[in-house]
Amino acid sequence: MISIVKDLAAEALFVSDLQPSQCPTHEAVEQAVTTMILQYGSDGCAAGVALEFGDHPDTAVARMHWVHTELTEVLEPHAVVLN
């Protein structure tokens, strides 16, 4: 189940307007994912990813790498420091 959610989030972030050069906050990433899912649904996000990989595979690979890096940081549980 977690894998499906992460895959959907990756597709949604991929089709969003966020760019690596913006150095988005975790909140901006979460908002972009939510907005894209609500706007396009899971099928629409997947179709957008497929279209980009078909039209621009070289840049799509780099973007997907960035997407997975961002999501790993956002979804990683925050370490709690105890004194």
Side-chain angles (χ1 to χ4, degrees), residues 24-56:
T25 63
H26 291 206
E27 292 79 16
V29 170
E30 290 172 1
Q31 182 62 44
V33 168
T34 301
T35 299
M36 294 296 99
I37 292 170
L38 291 174
Q39 186 170 353
Y40 297 113
S42 60
D43 290 345
C45 290
V49 171
L51 182 65
E52 282 302 307
F53 269 92
D55 290 347
H56 310 285

Side-chain angles (χ1 to χ4, degrees), residues 6-22:
K6 189 172 181 181
D7 291 346
L8 176 57
E11 291 168 348
L13 183 56
F14 185 94
V15 298
S16 76
D17 291 335
L18 281 183
Q19 298 298 316
S21 60
Q22 293 173 294

